[in-house]
Amino acid sequence: MHLSKPPLIFYLSALAYIATLHLTPYPGDFVLKALPALSLAFWVWRSPDSRVRLALIAALLLSALGDILLAFIPRGSDTFVAGLSAFLIAHLLFSMAFLRAPNRQPRPVYLIVFIVLLSATTAGLLVPKLGSMAGPVLVYSAIITLMTIASVRYGQLMAMAGALTFMVSDSLIAFNTFVLADPALSVRYLIMLTYYAALFLITHSLSATKRH
């Protein structure tokens, strides 16, 4: 599968949501938030078939669902676990795509050690603040760590950058949600910037895979 270039709507919707982040919640903001992931899914759907196409589309659609569910958290809806679950399954599908894609080139083992240590350190800092959410958050942390390790197996630099950026984005969400007494708008900007960048990097990195 090889895609010419990402759709313009991906860039426009991502920039529009980030630019209006300080105004949230506003009517329809959850649609704008999910539109970048949806546009990437549509982009991949229009591409030629590949070994990873269906898994990648499903992962992007679940990411969009997670975006919508998590958009309602500040409004008092109990949707955090549901949003977490959508992204957890998305990470499993991203992992499947990385594992099904042909190896590019071997990567040093120390990268995997670094990923595991980074994940363990982040989890160690978060656990005292998680309370009853410790179980779900730690399971999620383990799955995204496995997804990042799968990107190392794939061996494409853009894929590894995307997976690590996703880890950073999710870690920022956890710290902003559970550690900071007053969640910061500046952190939310970083969360969305790293999240959209991660989606782009992962999708683009897998766009060169072929059926055989």
Side-chain angles (χ1 to χ4, degrees), residues 23-144:
L23 300 174
T24 55
Y26 56 82
D29 62 341
F30 61 94
V31 176
L32 186 59
K33 183 182 182 184
L35 195 53
L38 290 173
S39 67
L40 289 178
F42 182 69
W43 181 46
V44 175
W45 176 71
R46 293 187 61 195
S47 70
D49 195 10
S50 78
R51 297 172 63 179
V52 304
R53 181 168 172 260
L54 292 179
L56 186 54
I57 291 172
L60 291 167
L61 291 177
L62 281 163
S63 297
L65 176 61
D67 286 333
I68 293 170
L69 292 170
L70 294 181
F72 286 93
I73 289 176
R75 301 166 212 195
S77 298
D78 185 18
T79 56
F80 185 80
V81 173
L84 202 69
S85 299
F87 276 110
L88 185 149
I89 300 171
H91 289 316
L92 289 174
L93 290 164
F94 282 132
S95 300
M96 182 187 303
F98 287 137
L99 294 174
R100 284 180 59 82
N103 286 335
R104 292 303 183 86
Q105 58 184 13
R107 295 293 173 183
V109 175
Y110 70 75
L111 284 176
I112 296 177
V113 175
F114 169 77
I115 291 165
V116 172
L117 288 176
L118 178 63
S119 178
T121 301
T122 303
L125 293 172
L126 286 172
V127 163
K129 303 288 186 178
L130 294 177
S132 62
M133 289 299 299
V137 172
L138 289 177
V139 170
Y140 181 88
S141 176
I143 295 301
I144 195 171

